[in-house]
Every structure is written in structure tokens, then in C-alpha cells.
Amino acid sequence: MSIRVLLVDDQELVRAGFRMILDAESDVEIVAEAGDGLEALEAADRHTIDVALMDIRMPNLDGIEATRRLLQRSPETRVLMLTTFDLNEYVYEALRAGASGFLLKDVPPEQLAAGIRVVAQGEALLAPSITQRLIQEFAAAAPVAATPPKGLDELTARELEVFQLVARGLSNAEIAAELIVSETTVKTHVARVLMKLGLRDRVQAVVLAYESGIAVPGRTSSTSPGT
């Protein structure tokens, strides 16, 4: 079954370029296009969308607010933010809105299709540089919640440990190596953490961990974020 994609960008040439690339992929189908956030919401009402490729800066309704409203209407849809900058001031707000990751607009064709497949499967797509910046700067500026997040007390000691490692940006393989367990075991732990905390994906886990004070910028080991 094809991954149903919504293209959202105010530049027609950008949409045309993405369409040309994705039309060559047998497992990807572009079901609609939109030139701004309002058009995107209208398109999402008419079509079932698996992945929305969403520009951040657009007229009428920007990509961040459009993402927030889209996911309220269709929680199963994944949003992949498009940006011309690897890191910008919108990263943190986009993640809080529910975006599952970021792609640069000049991304190589094979990485565009691969990114869509990753988020369609429910995974997060965060470049190590973005995860690191999120931890060091955006999350550091976030207010720490006064009360622990709902479901935190349901986590086992090992699940809490996995939660903290996810917040540091480690991949499943790196977490497995650190805890000396199989990658399959890590995937199970991550799934349980997300379920118990009511989170959509790893991106939301990273944001929640820093907002709630479960993880604190600067208090990490020397292990680098996942690649």
C-alpha cells in the first residue's frame, strides 16, 4: 500500500520539484498539494494523509499552527517539516506542535523518500545536529513543569533509563550498546515508554523529558547523539 503524501509549500516550484522526485517512487503517492496552512487543512479534510511535507514559513497560516491543527483533526498523520535551514528558531515550536522530524528543502532525492518512509512507520526523523541543538538550546529555554508528566510513575526503572537515553538523542542501537541488551529489547522498552506517557513518537519524548526536568541539558555523558 502506498504512503499517501500531502505537499504543503507556498512555492509552486518547490512542490513541483518534490512531486517529480516522489512520482518516481512506487510506494509513495502524492494525493494533494497546498500553498499554505489553510489549504493544507482543507486537503486533509478531503483526503486520508499518511505524511504531510509541511513548509514552516507560509502566508495565511504558517506550518507550525497548521501542524498543530492538522494533528488535532488527524492524530494518525505524521508531519515532516521542510526548512531551508538546518537549524532555526522554529525547531522547538515545530516539535511541540507535533512534527515528527525535519528535512532540508535541498535534501538529496533518495533521502527525501527515505525520510517519508521513516516517519510513515512511526519513527522520528531528527538529524543528530538538530537533536543536539534541541537539547542544548531550545529545550534549555523551556520552562520546567511543576508536576511530573502523567504516566511517569508507571515506568519501570529500566524504562525510565531508556526514556532518559532517548532524550539524549541516542538511537536504538546506541541504547542497546549502552545497556548491553538487544536492539529488539530496546524497541520494546521505547514502545512501552511512549504508550505509558501517551506520546506519539521519540520527538515528543525528547521534548517532554526536558520540559519536565527528567533530563537536564548539560547533564549528559560523553555519548554522542544517534546518527
Side-chain angles (χ1 to χ4, degrees):
M1 185 175 178
S2 295
I3 300 169
R4 294 160 294 201
V5 173
L6 167 63
L7 285 180
V8 189
D9 195 292
D10 61 333
Q11 297 182 47
E12 193 170 343
L13 281 176
V14 172
R15 299 200 308 270
F18 282 149
R19 174 178 283 280
M20 182 176 66
I21 292 169
L22 296 177
D23 278 347
E25 303 295 329
S26 60
D27 61 339
V28 176
E29 176 189 5
I30 298 174
V31 296
E33 294 185 23
D36 61 41
L38 292 177
E39 289 183 8
L41 296 177
E42 292 172 0
D45 286 340
R46 296 193 307 268
H47 303 275
T48 299
I49 307 297
D50 296 316
V51 177
L53 285 178
M54 184 81 70
D55 189 21
I56 294 180
R57 302 175 70 175
M58 295 183 294
N60 300 322
L61 188 68
D62 66 40
I64 293 174
E65 183 58 28
T67 294
R68 190 175 290 114
R69 296 187 194 180
L70 174 60
L71 295 177
Q72 287 174 349
R73 300 182 188 196
S74 178
E76 298 304 311
T77 298
R78 306 289 170 173
V79 178
L80 201 47
M81 305 303 295
L82 298 169
T83 177
T84 52
F85 307 101
D86 186 14
L87 302 164
N88 60 45
E89 68 271 27
Y90 301 106
V91 171
Y92 185 65
E93 284 305 314
L95 296 181
R96 289 198 68 194
S100 292
F102 287 81
L103 276 179
L104 295 178
K105 287 188 179 181
D106 59 356
V107 66
E110 64 276 9
Q111 288 185 25
L112 174 65
I116 289 172
R117 294 184 186 106
V118 166
V119 297
Q121 293 168 2
E123 296 293 327
L125 187 68
L126 282 182
S129 58
I130 288 180
T131 303
Q132 198 167 29
R133 180 72 165 265
L134 175 68
I135 290 171
Q136 294 175 348
E137 296 187 20
F138 291 93
V144 175
T147 56
K150 184 179 179 181
L152 184 66
D153 57 352
E154 297 179 20
L155 299 184
T156 65
R158 178 48 64 99
E159 287 167 354
L160 180 59
E161 194 174 9
V162 169
F163 181 28
Q164 292 170 326
L165 293 173
V166 167
R168 278 168 41 195
L170 272 65
S171 66
N172 284 347
E174 289 172 325
I175 294 173
E178 180 143 332
L179 300 181
I180 316 178
V181 296
S182 71
E183 195 168 340
T184 300
T185 298
V186 172
K187 288 181 179 178
T188 300
H189 285 315
V190 170
R192 287 176 179 165
V193 167
L194 297 180
M195 180 187 68
K196 289 180 178 180
L197 296 178
L199 301 173
R200 182 184 297 109
D201 54 32
R202 298 168 82 99
V203 175
Q204 288 193 327
V206 172
V207 173
L208 179 66
Y210 286 90
E211 286 187 335
S212 62
I214 301 304
V216 180
R219 294 186 192 171
T220 60
S221 73
S222 59
T223 306
S224 60
T227 55

